């Protein structure tokens, strides 16, 4: 097989994309430290990218956010990627919503802020033609956060929104129902 070199992208961008893919391979192999090294190299190569390359390289920044050890830095990276995606792709683009969902469920945001942000993501997912099925998982996360915040009424409301579209292979009513019972006041 003959592979033609990609001449339409600057070499630094090609290297950044390669390093990003190597980071993803390291993540898949559960080699977090190695992944971090590759992602940091990718981000360093990607500095100053613009246009289509900048959009493509956002996945490299999101990958780094997954593997850094500092939770504050991780949150800042996720926030930066989400803001850049919203600017470059739009606030309702699937990648923007995915990054915001990940940030709300994985970072050190205050729980109330995470619940509020995720509720906005869930609403946007419900309205998106290809993401509506993903709204259930999103609403369940909002429900769990609201429950942790001691807000059973809003936890129940979110979980009730999750139930009708819960995909059996991802989230079943048996996963949501116990929390609904708990927050409705029937812990037995």
């Amino acid at each position: 097989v003959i592979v033609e070199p990609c001449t339409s992208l600057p070499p630094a961008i090609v290297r950044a994309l390669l390093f990003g893919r190597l980071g993803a391979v390291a993540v898949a192999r559960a080699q977090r430290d190695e992944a971090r090294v590759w992602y940091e190299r990718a981000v360093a190569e990607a500095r100053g990218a613009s246009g289509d390359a900048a959009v493509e390289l956002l996945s490299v920044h999101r990958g780094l956010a997954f593997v850094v050890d500092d939770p504050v830095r991780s949150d800042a990276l996720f926030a930066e990627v989400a803001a850049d995606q919203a600017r470059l792709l739009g606030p309702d683009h699937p990648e923007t919503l995915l990054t915001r969902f990940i940030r709300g469920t994985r970072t050190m945001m205050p729980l109330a802020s995470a619940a509020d942000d995720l509720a906005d993501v869930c609403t946007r997912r419900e309205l998106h033609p290809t993401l509506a099925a993903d709204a259930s998982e999103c609403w369940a996360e909002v429900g769990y956060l609201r429950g942790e915040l001691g807000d059973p009424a809003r936890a129940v409301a979110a979980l009730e929104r999750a139930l009708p579209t819960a995909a059996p292979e991802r989230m079943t009513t048996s996963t949501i129902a116990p929390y609904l019972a708990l927050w409705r006041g029937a812990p037995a």
Side-chain angles (χ1 to χ4, degrees):
V1 174
I2 298 174
V3 178
E4 293 292 323
C6 180
T7 58
S8 63
L9 292 175
I13 300 303
V14 174
R15 283 190 301 272
L17 292 171
L18 172 63
F19 295 155
R21 299 301 183 262
L22 291 170
V25 169
V27 167
R29 297 173 70 194
Q31 297 170 330
R32 185 179 169 94
D33 291 337
E34 182 179 336
R36 186 173 37 257
V37 169
W38 285 119
Y39 281 127
E40 286 180 348
R41 285 183 70 184
V43 167
E45 288 285 344
R47 281 185 180 56
S50 61
D52 291 341
V55 172
E56 179 67 26
L57 291 168
L58 290 174
S59 65
V60 171
H61 289 84
R62 187 169 65 197
L64 179 59
F66 271 111
V67 297
V68 295
D69 290 330
D70 178 3
V72 174
R73 182 174 179 216
S74 176
D75 183 60
L77 286 167
F78 277 121
E80 181 181 328
V81 171
D84 287 344
Q85 287 173 323
R87 181 176 48 80
L88 295 169
L89 301 171
D92 295 325
H93 190 278
E95 287 298 313
T96 305
L97 296 174
L98 175 61
T99 300
R100 289 181 60 203
F101 175 78
I102 293 167
R103 181 178 182 227
T105 59
R106 293 183 53 102
T107 68
M108 298 302 295
M109 288 176 72
L111 290 183
S113 297
D116 290 342
D117 195 50
L118 282 176
D120 181 62
V121 170
C122 300
T123 300
R124 290 174 187 268
R125 280 183 169 183
E126 283 177 330
L127 299 173
H128 196 282
T130 61
L131 299 179
D134 293 333
S136 179
E137 178 184 9
C138 190
W139 282 117
E141 291 294 335
V142 172
Y144 303 146
L145 287 172
R146 288 292 170 202
E148 288 294 318
L149 288 164
D151 189 352
R154 290 173 77 185
V156 166
L159 291 177
E160 285 175 343
R161 285 181 84 166
L163 268 178
T165 59
E169 67 276 6
R170 293 170 80 187
M171 180 170 304
T172 65
T173 56
S174 64
T175 306
I176 297 170
Y179 288 99
L180 268 173
L182 175 68
W183 292 318
R184 284 179 174 153

